[in-house]
Amino acid sequence: VCASKYFHNKDPNYIMAVINVLEDEVFLPGDYIARRGEVATAMYFVSRGNMTILIPDMEEPADVTRAKDVAKLRQGDHFGEVSLVKETVRTAWVRADTYVIVSALSRKRIQGIWTFYPEER
């Protein structure tokens, strides 16, 4: 998690505060970590495993089977950071290709940390 670009040039005390509130989640191959259209309330750091980001097909935007593979995620990557600063819905699906462990950072938990580290927002 500490290797994530999200933490690049951040205050070490801020990094420790964030790490202390992360919650690990486990996914099996084929599970969806994020689903297009769901309310986004957390960002994720990839601790282990491989995932695929899928965006909707223009003709059938709700059909995940027709979605296009646009990127791969692996250990050290992160996604979903917009959900920390803005109420939004997910715009893509993120599917586990292997067994996956992600560390979730919820908007609710980061708000308290930003009280003490407003420059990191």
Side-chain angles (χ1 to χ4, degrees):
V1 172
C2 291
S4 172
K5 291 179 185 175
Y6 176 82
F7 292 118
H8 187 67
N9 292 328
K10 301 278 189 194
D11 181 319
N13 294 307
Y14 172 75
I15 295 170
M16 289 305 301
V18 170
I19 289 172
N20 284 328
V21 300
L22 293 175
E23 294 182 5
D24 287 344
E25 298 179 16
V26 178
F27 296 90
L28 303 176
D31 286 350
Y32 288 89
I33 295 90
R35 294 179 179 274
R36 180 185 176 275
E38 75 181 356
V39 175
T41 60
M43 76 171 289
Y44 299 94
F45 298 92
V46 182
S47 298
R48 205 168 286 231
N50 299 310
M51 293 167 276
T52 298
I53 299 175
L54 303 159
I55 61 167
D57 176 74
M58 298 308 283
E59 294 176 18
E60 295 285 338
D63 186 356
V64 69
T65 64
R66 294 192 53 177
K68 293 179 179 32
D69 172 343
V70 293
K72 301 288 186 185
L73 296 169
R74 58 188 167 95
Q75 185 176 351
D77 290 334
H78 67 275
F79 64 96
E81 59 273 22
V82 172
S83 68
L84 300 183
V85 294
K86 179 180 171 184
E87 291 188 16
T88 188
V89 295
R90 302 276 184 212
T91 58
W93 293 274
V94 179
R95 184 188 61 218
D97 297 327
T98 63
Y99 290 94
V100 168
I101 300 173
V102 293
S103 298
L105 176 59
S106 71
R107 182 182 322 133
K108 180 179 177 183
R109 290 185 176 246
I110 195 69
Q111 295 292 342
I113 294 170
W114 283 339
T115 301
F116 300 98
Y117 300 95
E119 68 281 1
E120 303 296 353
R121 186 178 178 134

